[in-house]
Protein backbone atom coordinates (compact mmCIF):
# COMPACT_ATOMS: atom_id res chain seq x y z
CA UNK A 1 0.00 0.00 0.00
CA UNK A 2 1.50 3.38 -0.86
CA UNK A 3 1.79 6.32 1.50
CA UNK A 4 -1.13 8.33 0.11
CA UNK A 5 -3.57 5.44 0.29
CA UNK A 6 -2.39 4.59 3.81
CA UNK A 7 -3.07 8.13 4.88
CA UNK A 8 -6.73 7.82 4.06
CA UNK A 9 -7.36 4.24 5.14
CA UNK A 10 -8.87 2.93 8.35
CA UNK A 11 -8.67 -0.71 9.43
CA UNK A 12 -11.36 -2.02 11.74
CA UNK A 13 -10.52 -5.28 13.52
CA UNK A 14 -13.51 -7.52 14.32
CA UNK A 15 -16.80 -7.96 12.48
CA UNK A 16 -19.10 -8.06 15.50
CA UNK A 17 -21.85 -5.44 15.73
CA UNK A 18 -19.42 -2.70 16.82
CA UNK A 19 -16.99 -3.22 13.95
CA UNK A 20 -19.75 -3.57 11.36
CA UNK A 21 -21.46 -0.30 12.32
CA UNK A 22 -18.17 1.58 12.46
CA UNK A 23 -16.86 0.26 9.15
CA UNK A 24 -20.21 0.93 7.46
CA UNK A 25 -20.25 4.53 8.71
CA UNK A 26 -16.69 5.18 7.55
CA UNK A 27 -17.33 3.76 4.09
CA UNK A 28 -20.58 5.72 3.82
CA UNK A 29 -18.57 8.86 4.59
CA UNK A 30 -16.21 7.98 1.73
CA UNK A 31 -13.30 6.71 3.84
CA UNK A 32 -11.53 3.61 2.46
CA UNK A 33 -11.99 0.96 5.14
CA UNK A 34 -10.96 -2.65 5.57
CA UNK A 35 -12.59 -4.95 8.10
CA UNK A 36 -10.38 -7.79 9.34
CA UNK A 37 -12.08 -10.80 10.90
CA UNK A 38 -10.32 -13.91 12.13
CA UNK A 39 -13.31 -16.22 11.59
CA UNK A 40 -14.44 -17.51 8.20
CA UNK A 41 -17.48 -15.64 6.93
CA UNK A 42 -20.57 -16.79 8.74
CA UNK A 43 -23.03 -14.96 10.91
CA UNK A 44 -23.83 -17.38 13.69
CA UNK A 45 -27.43 -18.09 14.61
CA UNK A 46 -26.23 -18.71 18.14
CA UNK A 47 -26.99 -15.25 19.30
CA UNK A 48 -25.58 -13.65 22.40
CA UNK A 49 -27.43 -10.33 22.73
CA UNK A 50 -31.16 -10.18 22.13
CA UNK A 51 -32.26 -6.75 23.40
CA UNK A 52 -32.00 -3.57 21.36
CA UNK A 53 -32.66 -0.41 23.34
CA UNK A 54 -34.24 2.91 22.29
CA UNK A 55 -30.99 4.85 21.78
CA UNK A 56 -29.58 2.09 19.57
CA UNK A 57 -32.78 2.09 17.52
CA UNK A 58 -32.41 5.86 17.16
CA UNK A 59 -28.86 5.39 15.85
CA UNK A 60 -30.12 2.77 13.42
CA UNK A 61 -32.93 5.15 12.39
CA UNK A 62 -30.25 7.74 11.58
CA UNK A 63 -28.93 5.16 9.09
CA UNK A 64 -32.33 4.14 7.68
CA UNK A 65 -32.16 0.68 9.33
CA UNK A 66 -34.49 0.82 12.34
CA UNK A 67 -37.73 -0.13 10.61
CA UNK A 68 -36.10 -3.16 8.99
CA UNK A 69 -34.76 -4.33 12.35
CA UNK A 70 -38.13 -3.78 14.04
CA UNK A 71 -39.67 -6.21 11.56
CA UNK A 72 -37.41 -9.01 12.89
CA UNK A 73 -38.61 -9.13 16.50
CA UNK A 74 -41.13 -8.26 19.17
CA UNK A 75 -41.19 -5.21 21.41
CA UNK A 76 -41.84 -4.91 25.12
CA UNK A 77 -42.62 -1.79 27.09
CA UNK A 78 -42.36 -3.03 30.68
CA UNK A 79 -39.24 -4.37 32.39
CA UNK A 80 -39.69 -6.21 35.66
CA UNK A 81 -37.13 -7.29 38.23
CA UNK A 82 -37.20 -8.70 41.76
CA UNK A 83 -40.92 -9.52 41.55
CA UNK A 84 -42.39 -6.05 41.75
CA UNK A 85 -39.93 -3.47 40.53
CA UNK A 86 -41.16 -2.26 37.14
CA UNK A 87 -39.80 0.14 34.58
CA UNK A 88 -42.29 1.44 32.03
CA UNK A 89 -40.37 2.04 28.81
CA UNK A 90 -43.62 3.29 27.26
CA UNK A 91 -42.96 6.67 28.87
CA UNK A 92 -39.61 7.18 27.08
CA UNK A 93 -39.47 10.34 25.01
CA UNK A 94 -38.31 8.55 21.92
CA UNK A 95 -39.75 7.31 18.65
CA UNK A 96 -38.92 3.87 20.09
CA UNK A 97 -40.46 3.72 23.60
CA UNK A 98 -39.74 0.02 24.08
CA UNK A 99 -37.11 -2.72 24.07
CA UNK A 100 -36.85 -4.70 20.85
CA UNK A 101 -36.24 -8.41 21.39
CA UNK A 102 -34.39 -9.73 18.37
CA UNK A 103 -31.30 -11.90 18.09
CA UNK A 104 -27.90 -10.25 17.71
CA UNK A 105 -27.46 -11.98 14.32
CA UNK A 106 -30.33 -9.92 12.89
CA UNK A 107 -28.50 -6.74 13.89
CA UNK A 108 -25.28 -8.10 12.39
CA UNK A 109 -26.98 -9.13 9.14
CA UNK A 110 -28.39 -5.64 8.62
CA UNK A 111 -25.13 -3.92 9.47
CA UNK A 112 -23.11 -6.27 7.31
CA UNK A 113 -25.32 -5.70 4.27
CA UNK A 114 -25.08 -1.95 4.74
CA UNK A 115 -21.29 -2.11 5.12
CA UNK A 116 -20.94 -4.19 1.93
CA UNK A 117 -23.17 -1.83 -0.01
CA UNK A 118 -21.13 1.13 1.21
CA UNK A 119 -17.92 -0.50 -0.10
CA UNK A 120 -16.17 -1.88 3.00
CA UNK A 121 -13.45 -4.37 2.06
CA UNK A 122 -14.08 -7.52 4.12
CA UNK A 123 -11.11 -9.77 4.86
CA UNK A 124 -12.12 -12.98 6.63
CA UNK A 125 -9.70 -15.52 8.10
CA UNK A 126 -7.47 -12.55 8.84
CA UNK A 127 -6.29 -12.56 12.43
CA UNK A 128 -4.42 -9.62 13.85
CA UNK A 129 -1.36 -10.95 15.67
CA UNK A 130 0.82 -7.86 16.02
CA UNK A 131 0.74 -4.07 15.85
CA UNK A 132 3.24 -1.20 15.62
CA UNK A 133 2.56 2.47 15.18
CA UNK A 134 4.54 5.55 14.25
CA UNK A 135 3.68 9.21 13.77
CA UNK A 136 1.99 8.63 10.39
CA UNK A 137 0.20 5.35 10.68
CA UNK A 138 -0.26 1.89 12.11
CA UNK A 139 1.12 -1.42 10.86
CA UNK A 140 -0.76 -4.62 11.57
CA UNK A 141 0.58 -8.14 11.30
CA UNK A 142 -2.25 -10.25 9.97
CA UNK A 143 -2.24 -14.06 9.87
CA UNK A 144 -4.20 -15.54 6.96
CA UNK A 145 -5.94 -18.90 6.55
CA UNK A 146 -2.70 -20.54 5.32
CA UNK A 147 -0.80 -19.39 8.42
CA UNK A 148 1.37 -16.81 6.68
CA UNK A 149 1.65 -13.37 8.22
CA UNK A 150 1.29 -10.27 6.04
CA UNK A 151 1.63 -6.60 7.02
CA UNK A 152 -1.15 -4.08 6.44
CA UNK A 153 -0.81 -0.37 7.07
CA UNK A 154 -3.48 2.26 7.78
CA UNK A 155 -3.83 5.79 9.06
CA UNK A 156 -5.93 4.61 12.01
CA UNK A 157 -6.91 1.26 13.50
CA UNK A 158 -9.94 0.44 15.63
CA UNK A 159 -9.87 -2.67 17.79
CA UNK A 160 -13.48 -3.92 17.83
CA UNK A 161 -12.18 -7.41 18.40
CA UNK A 162 -14.14 -8.30 21.50
CA UNK A 163 -13.44 -9.42 25.04
CA UNK A 164 -10.01 -10.98 24.38
CA UNK A 165 -8.89 -8.12 22.09
CA UNK A 166 -5.48 -8.69 20.51
CA UNK A 167 -5.40 -4.98 19.62
CA UNK A 168 -5.84 -4.00 23.27
CA UNK A 169 -2.99 -6.26 24.29
CA UNK A 170 -0.78 -4.99 21.47
CA UNK A 171 -1.13 -1.36 22.59
CA UNK A 172 -0.18 -2.35 26.11
CA UNK A 173 -3.51 -1.78 27.87
CA UNK A 174 -4.66 -4.12 30.57
CA UNK A 175 -8.29 -5.01 31.28
CA UNK A 176 -8.76 -4.74 35.03
CA UNK A 177 -11.92 -5.96 36.72
CA UNK A 178 -13.60 -8.88 38.40
CA UNK A 179 -15.78 -11.86 37.65
CA UNK A 180 -19.38 -11.02 38.66
CA UNK A 181 -21.24 -14.23 37.92
CA UNK A 182 -19.15 -17.35 38.10
CA UNK A 183 -21.56 -19.68 36.37
CA UNK A 184 -24.52 -18.89 34.09
CA UNK A 185 -26.13 -20.99 31.41
CA UNK A 186 -27.66 -20.09 28.10
CA UNK A 187 -29.97 -22.20 25.98
CA UNK A 188 -31.97 -21.62 22.81
CA UNK A 189 -35.04 -23.86 22.97
CA UNK A 190 -38.54 -24.41 21.69
CA UNK A 191 -41.45 -24.32 24.17
CA UNK A 192 -44.68 -26.27 24.28
CA UNK A 193 -46.47 -23.56 26.27
CA UNK A 194 -46.08 -19.95 25.22
CA UNK A 195 -45.19 -17.57 28.11
CA UNK A 196 -47.58 -14.67 28.55
CA UNK A 197 -44.87 -12.03 28.11
CA UNK A 198 -42.14 -11.57 25.49
CA UNK A 199 -39.67 -11.41 28.41
CA UNK A 200 -40.21 -13.43 31.60
CA UNK A 201 -37.76 -12.94 34.47
CA UNK A 202 -37.72 -14.06 38.08
CA UNK A 203 -35.49 -15.17 40.90
CA UNK A 204 -36.61 -17.50 43.69
CA UNK A 205 -34.43 -19.00 46.40
CA UNK A 206 -31.03 -19.68 44.88
CA UNK A 207 -32.20 -19.77 41.27
CA UNK A 208 -32.73 -17.10 38.64
CA UNK A 209 -34.12 -17.54 35.12
CA UNK A 210 -35.11 -15.42 32.18
CA UNK A 211 -36.92 -16.46 29.01
CA UNK A 212 -37.11 -14.17 25.98
CA UNK A 213 -38.98 -14.83 22.75
CA UNK A 214 -37.02 -14.23 19.55
CA UNK A 215 -40.37 -14.03 17.73
CA UNK A 216 -39.53 -16.89 15.32
CA UNK A 217 -40.51 -19.82 17.55
CA UNK A 218 -37.14 -19.93 19.35
CA UNK A 219 -36.69 -18.81 22.93
CA UNK A 220 -33.54 -17.77 24.79
CA UNK A 221 -33.24 -19.08 28.34
CA UNK A 222 -30.61 -17.70 30.66
CA UNK A 223 -30.23 -18.64 34.31
CA UNK A 224 -28.16 -19.67 37.22
CA UNK A 225 -28.29 -21.67 40.41
CA UNK A 226 -26.17 -20.10 43.10
CA UNK A 227 -25.68 -23.50 44.74
CA UNK A 228 -24.25 -24.99 41.55
CA UNK A 229 -21.41 -22.81 40.30
CA UNK A 230 -19.12 -24.77 37.99
CA UNK A 231 -16.43 -24.00 35.39
CA UNK A 232 -17.59 -23.08 31.87
CA UNK A 233 -16.40 -26.39 30.42
CA UNK A 234 -18.55 -28.65 32.64
CA UNK A 235 -21.15 -30.23 30.30
CA UNK A 236 -24.73 -28.98 30.60
CA UNK A 237 -27.95 -30.70 29.55
CA UNK A 238 -31.53 -29.60 29.04
CA UNK A 239 -32.66 -31.23 32.30
CA UNK A 240 -30.51 -28.81 34.30
CA UNK A 241 -31.93 -25.85 32.38
CA UNK A 242 -35.48 -27.10 32.99
CA UNK A 243 -34.83 -27.66 36.67
CA UNK A 244 -33.46 -24.16 37.32
CA UNK A 245 -36.23 -22.60 35.22
CA UNK A 246 -38.94 -24.45 37.17
CA UNK A 247 -37.45 -23.33 40.47
CA UNK A 248 -37.20 -19.71 39.37
CA UNK A 249 -40.36 -19.34 37.25
CA UNK A 250 -42.60 -22.13 38.56
CA UNK A 251 -42.72 -23.91 35.16
CA UNK A 252 -40.35 -24.90 32.36
CA UNK A 253 -43.00 -24.21 29.68
CA UNK A 254 -42.41 -27.66 28.19
CA UNK A 255 -38.90 -26.89 26.94
CA UNK A 256 -37.53 -29.12 24.19
CA UNK A 257 -35.24 -29.25 21.14
CA UNK A 258 -32.35 -27.16 22.47
CA UNK A 259 -30.31 -25.99 19.47
CA UNK A 260 -27.65 -24.56 21.74
CA UNK A 261 -26.64 -25.04 25.38
CA UNK A 262 -23.69 -23.31 26.93
CA UNK A 263 -22.17 -22.24 30.19
CA UNK A 264 -20.32 -19.01 30.68
CA UNK A 265 -19.16 -16.66 33.37
CA UNK A 266 -19.59 -12.94 33.35
CA UNK A 267 -16.81 -10.44 33.98
CA UNK A 268 -16.89 -6.72 34.68
CA UNK A 269 -13.84 -5.05 33.11
CA UNK A 270 -12.88 -1.81 31.43
CA UNK A 271 -9.73 -0.72 29.63
CA UNK A 272 -8.14 2.28 31.38
CA UNK A 273 -7.96 4.14 28.05
CA UNK A 274 -9.84 3.88 24.76
CA UNK A 275 -7.09 5.34 22.61
CA UNK A 276 -3.33 5.04 22.30
CA UNK A 277 -2.01 7.23 19.49
CA UNK A 278 -3.69 6.19 16.26
CA UNK A 279 -5.33 3.10 17.72
CA UNK A 280 -8.79 3.07 19.32
CA UNK A 281 -10.80 0.45 21.21
CA UNK A 282 -14.57 0.06 20.94
CA UNK A 283 -17.25 -2.35 22.13
CA UNK A 284 -16.35 -5.43 24.16
CA UNK A 285 -12.66 -4.78 23.49
CA UNK A 286 -13.02 -1.68 25.69
CA UNK A 287 -15.58 -2.81 28.29
CA UNK A 288 -17.48 -5.90 29.32
CA UNK A 289 -20.11 -6.36 31.96
CA UNK A 290 -22.85 -8.67 33.13
CA UNK A 291 -25.71 -9.35 30.73
CA UNK A 292 -28.15 -7.72 33.20
CA UNK A 293 -29.88 -4.80 31.54
CA UNK A 294 -28.79 -6.02 28.09
CA UNK A 295 -26.21 -3.27 27.62
CA UNK A 296 -23.17 -4.85 25.93
CA UNK A 297 -24.05 -4.74 22.25
CA UNK A 298 -25.94 -1.49 22.73
CA UNK A 299 -22.98 0.23 24.36
CA UNK A 300 -20.61 -1.02 21.64
CA UNK A 301 -22.89 0.34 18.91
CA UNK A 302 -22.98 3.73 20.66
CA UNK A 303 -19.16 3.70 20.85
CA UNK A 304 -19.06 3.10 17.12
CA UNK A 305 -21.57 5.89 16.39
CA UNK A 306 -19.49 8.29 18.51
CA UNK A 307 -16.16 7.41 16.91
CA UNK A 308 -17.02 6.95 13.23
CA UNK A 309 -17.73 10.56 12.24
CA UNK A 310 -14.72 11.81 14.24
CA UNK A 311 -12.39 9.39 12.46
CA UNK A 312 -13.91 10.33 9.10
CA UNK A 313 -13.29 14.01 9.90
CA UNK A 314 -9.67 13.26 10.85
CA UNK A 315 -9.00 11.22 7.71
CA UNK A 316 -10.65 13.85 5.50
CA UNK A 317 -8.63 16.60 7.15
CA UNK A 318 -11.33 18.83 8.64
CA UNK A 319 -11.37 17.57 12.27
CA UNK A 320 -10.90 20.43 14.74
CA UNK A 321 -7.95 20.12 17.11
CA UNK A 322 -8.71 17.63 19.86
CA UNK A 323 -11.79 16.05 18.25
CA UNK A 324 -10.37 12.52 18.26
CA UNK A 325 -9.55 12.86 21.97
CA UNK A 326 -13.23 13.42 22.75
CA UNK A 327 -14.02 9.80 21.87
CA UNK A 328 -12.38 8.67 25.11
CA UNK A 329 -13.56 11.58 27.26
CA UNK A 330 -17.15 10.99 26.13
CA UNK A 331 -17.37 7.22 25.97
CA UNK A 332 -15.15 6.06 28.85
CA UNK A 333 -17.46 7.55 31.54
CA UNK A 334 -20.48 5.95 29.83
CA UNK A 335 -18.73 2.57 29.86
CA UNK A 336 -17.99 3.03 33.56
CA UNK A 337 -21.63 3.93 34.29
CA UNK A 338 -22.84 0.84 32.41
CA UNK A 339 -20.46 -1.36 34.40
CA UNK A 340 -21.79 0.11 37.61
CA UNK A 341 -25.49 -0.20 36.77
CA UNK A 342 -25.41 -3.71 35.28
CA UNK A 343 -23.15 -4.90 38.11
CA UNK A 344 -25.53 -3.37 40.66
CA UNK A 345 -28.48 -5.27 39.21
CA UNK A 346 -26.62 -8.56 39.37
CA UNK A 347 -25.44 -7.99 42.92
CA UNK A 348 -29.02 -7.28 44.02
CA UNK A 349 -30.30 -10.36 42.18
CA UNK A 350 -27.66 -12.53 43.86
CA UNK A 351 -27.94 -10.81 47.23
CA UNK A 352 -26.56 -13.06 49.96
CA UNK A 353 -25.63 -10.65 52.71
CA UNK A 354 -28.45 -9.50 55.03
CA UNK A 355 -27.74 -5.86 54.07
CA UNK A 356 -28.09 -6.46 50.33
CA UNK A 357 -31.16 -8.63 50.84
CA UNK A 358 -32.71 -5.75 52.80
CA UNK A 359 -31.97 -3.34 49.94
CA UNK A 360 -33.58 -5.75 47.49
CA UNK A 361 -36.63 -6.15 49.71
CA UNK A 362 -36.94 -2.38 49.92
CA UNK A 363 -36.63 -1.97 46.16
CA UNK A 364 -39.29 -4.66 45.64
CA UNK A 365 -41.59 -3.19 48.26
CA UNK A 366 -41.49 0.23 46.64
CA UNK A 367 -42.54 -1.60 43.46
CA UNK A 368 -42.17 1.36 41.18
CA UNK A 369 -39.41 3.89 41.10
CA UNK A 370 -40.74 7.43 41.01
CA UNK A 371 -39.64 10.85 39.79
CA UNK A 372 -35.94 11.47 39.15
CA UNK A 373 -34.84 7.93 40.17
CA UNK A 374 -37.23 6.44 37.62
CA UNK A 375 -36.13 8.88 34.91
CA UNK A 376 -32.48 8.14 35.62
CA UNK A 377 -32.98 4.37 35.52
CA UNK A 378 -34.99 4.62 32.28
CA UNK A 379 -32.41 6.95 30.73
CA UNK A 380 -29.55 4.58 31.58
CA UNK A 381 -31.24 1.35 30.52
CA UNK A 382 -32.55 2.75 27.23
CA UNK A 383 -29.36 4.76 26.59
CA UNK A 384 -31.28 7.98 25.90
CA UNK A 385 -30.30 9.55 29.24
CA UNK A 386 -26.57 9.90 28.60
CA UNK A 387 -25.07 13.27 27.79
CA UNK A 388 -21.53 14.25 26.96
CA UNK A 389 -19.41 16.87 28.76
CA UNK A 390 -19.88 20.45 27.56
CA UNK A 391 -17.33 23.28 27.66
CA UNK A 392 -17.72 25.82 30.46
CA UNK A 393 -20.27 28.52 29.60
CA UNK A 394 -21.84 26.50 26.78
CA UNK A 395 -25.61 26.52 26.16
CA UNK A 396 -27.38 24.08 28.53
CA UNK A 397 -28.28 21.77 25.62
CA UNK A 398 -24.67 21.27 24.52
CA UNK A 399 -23.71 17.60 24.78
CA UNK A 400 -27.29 16.37 25.18
CA UNK A 401 -29.00 13.84 22.91
CA UNK A 402 -31.43 15.41 20.49
CA UNK A 403 -34.78 13.64 20.20
CA UNK A 404 -36.41 13.07 16.83
CA UNK A 405 -37.71 16.63 16.48
CA UNK A 406 -40.04 17.76 13.68
CA UNK A 407 -38.44 19.79 10.91
CA UNK A 408 -40.02 21.67 8.01
CA UNK A 409 -38.73 19.05 5.62
CA UNK A 410 -39.39 15.93 7.76
CA UNK A 411 -37.78 14.79 11.01
CA UNK A 412 -34.28 14.97 12.47
CA UNK A 413 -33.30 11.31 12.28
CA UNK A 414 -34.14 11.30 8.58
CA UNK A 415 -32.04 14.43 8.10
CA UNK A 416 -29.14 12.67 9.88
CA UNK A 417 -29.14 9.87 7.30
CA UNK A 418 -26.60 11.72 5.21
CA UNK A 419 -24.03 11.17 7.99
CA UNK A 420 -23.56 14.95 8.20
CA UNK A 421 -24.01 17.57 10.90
CA UNK A 422 -27.50 19.10 10.85
CA UNK A 423 -27.92 22.78 11.59
CA UNK A 424 -31.48 23.52 12.68
CA UNK A 425 -31.72 27.23 12.18
CA UNK A 426 -34.63 29.55 12.92
CA UNK A 427 -33.95 31.76 9.86
CA UNK A 428 -32.94 31.01 6.32
CA UNK A 429 -29.18 30.56 6.70
CA UNK A 430 -26.99 30.52 3.64
CA UNK A 431 -23.70 29.43 5.22
CA UNK A 432 -23.63 25.81 4.06
CA UNK A 433 -21.56 26.73 0.99
CA UNK A 434 -18.32 24.81 0.81
CA UNK A 435 -19.37 22.59 3.74
CA UNK A 436 -22.18 20.81 1.94
CA UNK A 437 -20.29 17.49 2.16
CA UNK A 438 -20.56 17.66 5.95
CA UNK A 439 -23.54 19.91 6.75
CA UNK A 440 -27.27 19.85 6.13
CA UNK A 441 -29.29 22.96 6.98
CA UNK A 442 -32.87 22.51 8.19
CA UNK A 443 -35.66 24.62 9.76
CA UNK A 444 -37.84 23.87 12.77
CA UNK A 445 -41.38 22.83 11.92
CA UNK A 446 -42.41 25.22 14.74
CA UNK A 447 -41.48 28.86 15.39
CA UNK A 448 -38.76 27.84 17.89
CA UNK A 449 -35.88 30.40 17.98
CA UNK A 450 -33.05 28.13 19.16
CA UNK A 451 -30.30 27.33 16.68
CA UNK A 452 -28.98 23.79 17.14
CA UNK A 453 -25.94 22.28 15.53
CA UNK A 454 -26.51 18.53 15.77
CA UNK A 455 -23.55 16.16 15.39
CA UNK A 456 -23.84 13.18 13.04
CA UNK A 457 -24.41 10.96 16.09
CA UNK A 458 -27.42 13.00 17.24
CA UNK A 459 -25.88 15.04 20.09
CA UNK A 460 -25.80 18.83 20.35
CA UNK A 461 -22.45 20.29 19.29
CA UNK A 462 -23.54 23.90 19.77
CA UNK A 463 -26.74 25.77 20.55
CA UNK A 464 -27.79 29.42 20.89
CA UNK A 465 -31.02 31.39 21.29
CA UNK A 466 -31.81 33.59 18.28
CA UNK A 467 -28.17 33.94 17.18
CA UNK A 468 -27.22 36.28 14.32
CA UNK A 469 -25.61 34.92 11.17
CA UNK A 470 -22.10 35.82 12.38
CA UNK A 471 -22.53 33.72 15.55
CA UNK A 472 -23.78 30.76 13.52
CA UNK A 473 -20.84 31.11 11.16
CA UNK A 474 -18.37 31.16 14.05
CA UNK A 475 -19.91 27.97 15.45
CA UNK A 476 -19.78 26.23 12.08
CA UNK A 477 -16.15 27.22 11.60
CA UNK A 478 -15.28 25.91 15.06
CA UNK A 479 -16.91 22.53 14.47
CA UNK A 480 -16.63 21.98 10.73
CA UNK A 481 -13.73 24.10 9.63
C1 LIG B 1 -25.44 -14.31 27.21
C2 LIG B 1 -25.22 -12.97 26.69
C3 LIG B 1 -26.30 -12.16 26.56
C4 LIG B 1 -26.12 -10.87 26.11
N1 LIG B 1 -27.20 -10.08 25.99
C5 LIG B 1 -27.06 -8.82 25.55
C6 LIG B 1 -28.20 -7.98 25.35
O1 LIG B 1 -29.35 -8.38 25.54
N2 LIG B 1 -27.97 -6.73 24.90
C7 LIG B 1 -26.71 -6.28 24.64
O2 LIG B 1 -26.58 -5.11 24.24
N3 LIG B 1 -25.62 -7.07 24.78
C8 LIG B 1 -25.75 -8.32 25.24
N4 LIG B 1 -24.65 -9.13 25.35
C9 LIG B 1 -23.30 -8.64 25.01
C10 LIG B 1 -23.04 -8.65 23.50
O3 LIG B 1 -23.21 -9.91 22.93
C11 LIG B 1 -21.64 -8.12 23.22
O4 LIG B 1 -21.45 -6.95 23.99
C12 LIG B 1 -21.40 -7.80 21.75
O5 LIG B 1 -21.35 -8.96 20.95
C13 LIG B 1 -20.09 -7.05 21.57
O6 LIG B 1 -19.92 -6.74 20.24
P1 LIG B 1 -18.48 -6.40 19.69
O7 LIG B 1 -18.67 -6.15 18.23
O8 LIG B 1 -17.87 -5.33 20.50
O9 LIG B 1 -17.61 -7.71 19.92
P2 LIG B 1 -17.84 -9.19 19.40
O10 LIG B 1 -19.27 -9.42 19.06
O11 LIG B 1 -17.20 -10.07 20.39
O12 LIG B 1 -17.03 -9.24 18.03
C14 LIG B 1 -15.63 -9.25 18.00
C15 LIG B 1 -15.17 -9.88 16.68
O13 LIG B 1 -13.75 -9.75 16.58
C16 LIG B 1 -13.22 -10.95 16.04
N5 LIG B 1 -11.82 -11.04 16.47
C17 LIG B 1 -11.37 -11.30 17.71
N6 LIG B 1 -10.02 -11.26 17.75
C18 LIG B 1 -9.62 -10.97 16.50
C19 LIG B 1 -8.34 -10.80 15.90
N7 LIG B 1 -7.19 -10.91 16.60
N8 LIG B 1 -8.27 -10.50 14.58
C20 LIG B 1 -9.40 -10.38 13.83
N9 LIG B 1 -10.65 -10.55 14.37
C21 LIG B 1 -10.75 -10.83 15.68
C22 LIG B 1 -14.12 -12.02 16.62
O14 LIG B 1 -14.05 -13.22 15.84
C23 LIG B 1 -15.47 -11.36 16.57
O15 LIG B 1 -16.15 -11.62 15.35
C24 LIG B 1 -24.81 -10.42 25.79
C25 LIG B 1 -23.71 -11.27 25.91
C26 LIG B 1 -23.91 -12.53 26.37
C27 LIG B 1 -22.74 -13.45 26.50
Amino acid sequence: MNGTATHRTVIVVGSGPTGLLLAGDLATAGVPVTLLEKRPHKISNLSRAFGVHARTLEQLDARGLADRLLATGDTITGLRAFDRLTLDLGTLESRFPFLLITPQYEVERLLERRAREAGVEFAYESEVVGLRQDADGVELEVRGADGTVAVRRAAYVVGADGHHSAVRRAIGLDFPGVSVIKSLFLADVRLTERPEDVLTVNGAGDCFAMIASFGDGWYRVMGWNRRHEVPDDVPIDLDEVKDVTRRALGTDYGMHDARWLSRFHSDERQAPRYRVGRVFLAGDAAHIHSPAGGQGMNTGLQDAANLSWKLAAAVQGWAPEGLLGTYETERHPVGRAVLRSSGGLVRLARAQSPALRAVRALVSAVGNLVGPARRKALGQISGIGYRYPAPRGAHRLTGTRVPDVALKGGRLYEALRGGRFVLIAPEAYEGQGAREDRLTVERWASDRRTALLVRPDGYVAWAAESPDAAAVERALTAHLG
Side-chain angles (χ1 to χ4, degrees):
M1 213 174 273
N2 67 37
T4 320
T6 299
H7 238 85
R8 301 185 51 240
T9 305
V10 174
I11 294 181
V12 176
V13 187
S15 72
T18 307
L20 288 168
L21 182 78
L22 187 66
D25 279 6
L26 287 164
T28 303
V31 174
V33 48
T34 300
L35 208 156
L36 303 179
E37 168 57 56
K38 72 176 176 187
R39 290 178 290 118
H41 179 226
K42 181 173 176 296
I43 290 184
S44 164
N45 68 350
L46 305 178
S47 181
R48 292 188 287 162
F50 51 83
V52 183
H53 283 292
R55 187 62 184 141
T56 307
L57 288 165
E58 290 180 346
Q59 292 294 358
L60 296 174
D61 194 21
R63 291 156 179 84
L65 300 173
D67 292 334
R68 268 187 274 166
L69 189 66
L70 285 174
T72 66
D74 287 323
T75 61
I76 53 174
T77 51
L79 289 180
R80 249 179 308 139
F82 318 135
D83 295 336
R84 288 181 34 208
L85 174 68
T86 59
L87 276 179
D88 181 6
L89 299 171
T91 61
L92 285 176
E93 288 166 20
S94 167
R95 188 166 174 247
F96 308 102
F98 42 72
L99 171 69
L100 171 67
I101 304 289
T102 193
Q104 180 166 330
Y105 55 75
E106 295 289 1
V107 178
E108 292 180 13
R109 267 188 201 136
L110 261 186
L111 293 175
E112 187 191 305
R113 190 179 327 147
R114 166 180 181 258
R116 278 187 196 287
E117 286 168 5
V120 172
E121 179 206 355
F122 282 80
Y124 289 97
E125 300 186 81
S126 300
E127 180 180 4
V128 171
V129 292
L131 181 155
R132 276 182 303 276
Q133 58 176 321
D134 52 48
D136 300 322
V138 188
E139 238 166 51
L140 290 178
E141 288 173 21
V142 183
R143 185 159 54 212
D146 61 2
T148 56
V149 174
V151 172
R152 284 186 179 247
R153 194 173 162 86
Y156 296 98
V157 164
V158 183
D161 51 344
H163 185 164
H164 301 289
S165 174
V167 173
R168 187 184 63 231
R169 279 198 307 277
I171 55 177
L173 293 180
D174 52 11
F175 207 32
V178 291
S179 193
V180 261
I181 312 178
K182 292 201 183 68
S183 179
L184 275 154
F185 63 72
L186 283 185
D188 282 2
V189 298
R190 298 223 181 243
L191 302 180
T192 312
E193 299 160 46
R194 197 185 153 99
E196 220 171 276
D197 298 320
V198 177
L199 187 69
T200 309
V201 191
N202 202 28
D206 292 314
C207 294
F208 170 92
M210 184 219 70
I211 299 187
S213 163
F214 285 158
D216 60 358
W218 286 100
Y219 290 81
R220 161 61 50 84
V221 191
M222 181 169 81
W224 70 68
N225 176 354
R226 221 176 36 215
R227 301 268 165 221
H228 184 59
E229 294 189 325
V230 292
D232 293 354
D233 56 3
V234 170
I236 177 163
D237 60 22
L238 189 59
D239 285 340
E240 182 181 336
V241 175
K242 284 179 168 177
D243 178 54
V244 172
T245 309
R246 274 196 300 269
R247 289 183 200 213
L249 303 179
T251 169
D252 63 24
Y253 297 96
M255 258 172 225
H256 57 97
D257 281 354
R259 68 174 169 187
W260 185 46
L261 289 162
S262 158
R263 279 187 213 281
F264 71 106
H265 64 280
S266 166
D267 285 359
E268 205 173 82
R269 302 180 183 278
Q270 187 178 27
R273 296 170 62 190
Y274 283 11
R275 175 191 181 190
V276 173
R278 291 175 167 271
V279 182
F280 297 80
L281 296 177
D284 276 17
H287 46 75
I288 50 160
H289 26 82
S290 89
Q295 299 294 312
M297 176 178 72
N298 288 275
T299 310
L301 291 172
Q302 299 298 331
D303 291 344
N306 183 289
L307 179 58
S308 61
W309 64 272
K310 296 174 183 174
L311 266 183
V315 171
Q316 290 164 347
W318 57 268
E321 180 72 28
L323 182 67
L324 282 180
T326 65
Y327 168 64
E328 181 176 303
T329 52
E330 293 181 347
R331 293 304 301 169
H332 196 275
V334 173
R336 201 167 49 231
V338 171
L339 248 71
R340 230 184 274 134
S341 60
S342 60
L345 276 174
V346 168
R347 284 182 187 95
L348 278 188
R350 290 169 52 83
Q352 289 191 36
S353 75
L356 265 184
R357 281 185 187 267
V359 173
R360 189 171 76 187
L362 182 68
V363 169
S364 300
V366 171
N368 252 313
L369 294 175
V370 287
R374 184 183 136 276
R375 258 199 309 281
K376 186 168 178 204
L378 279 173
Q380 283 202 337
I381 284 233
S382 65
I384 71 168
Y386 290 110
R387 62 173 296 165
Y388 296 138
R392 193 183 289 270
H395 188 284
R396 67 185 166 78
L397 291 176
T398 310
T400 58
R401 151 204 171 260
V402 191
D404 192 19
V405 293
L407 305 173
K408 275 233 162 68
R411 55 187 185 87
L412 177 64
Y413 281 74
E414 283 171 351
L416 285 168
R417 287 181 190 169
R420 304 184 185 93
F421 277 74
V422 175
L423 173 67
I424 315 178
E427 306 290 345
Y429 177 74
E430 303 302 334
Q432 190 177 18
R435 303 184 186 103
E436 66 186 12
D437 59 332
R438 44 195 192 266
L439 179 67
T440 303
V441 179
E442 296 281 351
R443 310 263 166 276
W444 295 107
S446 66
D447 58 2
R448 192 171 169 185
R449 305 296 304 159
T450 314
L452 274 193
L453 181 60
V454 183
R455 309 184 335 184
D457 58 355
Y459 290 83
V460 176
W462 168 84
E465 301 302 326
S466 306
D468 57 23
V472 176
E473 182 54 33
R474 278 196 301 280
L476 291 179
T477 305
H479 291 278
L480 297 161

